[in-house]
Amino acid sequence: MMVLTRAAAHFAQFVEDHTDSLLGTAYLLTRDRQAAEELVQDTLVALYPQWSRVSAAQSPIAYVRRSLINRYLNQQRRGSATELVTNQLPDQLAGPDFARRIDDRDQLRRILSTLPPRQRAAVVLRYFHDLSDQQVAETMGCRATTVRSLISRALSTLRGDAALTGHDGRSDQQGATR
C-alpha cells in the first residue's frame, strides 16, 4: 500500500475538488474537450513539484487558474497549439431541456471562438468565474484598466456578431438582423 506525503495528499485533494472547474475554464478557452483536458493536466503537472508554494498561496485555486491562463496564452503566442474544430459537445450535459442546453453550449463555444485569446481569457474569468476586474487582472498579470479594455472590445465584437445573426446563430440571407 502506498502512503502519500502530506503535500501529495493535499495535491490529490485539490485535484479532486477543482478539476471540474479548471476543465470548464480550459474548455471555454480552447473550445475542445481533449485540448482542455491536456491544458489542465499540463498545468497541474508543472505545478506539482512546487505544490508547497501553491498551497501556501492566499488562494490556491486562483494561483492554479492563473497558471492555466498563462499556459494557454503562451501556447497561443507560440502557435504550437493546434486547433481542432469539432461538433462534439461535452459528455456531461443533462437537465430538463437537453436540446436547449446543447444549443446554448454550442452557441457559447461559437461566440467565444470569435475572440482573440486574451479577450477570451478575460471574458471567461469575468463572466464564467464571476471574478472582479481586479481579480481578473491579477490572474492575467495585467492592470484592471487593461482587463476592462479587453472585455469592452470583446463585448463590442460579440454585439457586432449578434447583429449579423439571428437568435439561433444563423445569418439571414441578406446578413441583416431578424
Side-chain angles (χ1 to χ4, degrees), residues 129-142:
H129 288 291
D130 200 27
L131 299 180
S132 70
D133 290 344
Q134 186 59 43
Q135 291 169 315
V136 174
E138 291 169 8
T139 300
M140 292 182 67
C142 62

Side-chain angles (χ1 to χ4, degrees), residues 16-122:
E16 185 177 324
D17 293 345
H18 298 286
T19 296
D20 288 341
S21 173
L22 293 169
L23 280 171
T25 300
Y27 180 77
L28 289 172
L29 294 170
T30 63
R31 303 169 320 271
D32 177 74
R33 184 182 176 138
Q34 289 177 335
E37 290 173 353
E38 189 171 319
L39 179 61
V40 170
Q41 181 178 357
D42 290 348
T43 301
L44 292 171
V45 166
L47 291 175
Y48 181 73
Q50 55 193 352
W51 191 251
S52 60
R53 183 170 22 146
V54 175
S55 64
Q58 184 176 6
S59 175
I61 185 66
Y63 189 107
V64 173
R65 194 177 295 128
R66 179 177 183 167
S67 181
L68 183 132
I69 295 286
N70 287 340
R71 183 173 293 276
Y72 165 74
L73 292 173
N74 286 337
Q75 287 175 349
Q76 297 304 303
R77 277 187 221 114
R78 279 194 307 261
S80 65
T82 58
E83 187 171 307
L84 175 65
V85 179
T86 179
N87 289 330
Q88 293 178 336
L89 296 172
D91 293 336
Q92 299 176 342
L93 293 175
D97 191 353
F98 185 72
R100 176 73 176 172
R101 290 187 65 173
I102 289 173
D103 186 49
D104 289 348
R105 286 186 185 206
D106 188 47
Q107 186 174 10
L108 177 62
R109 180 186 54 80
R110 278 183 280 143
I111 288 170
L112 286 174
S113 72
T114 66
L115 298 175
R118 284 181 52 85
Q119 288 180 17
R120 189 178 320 133

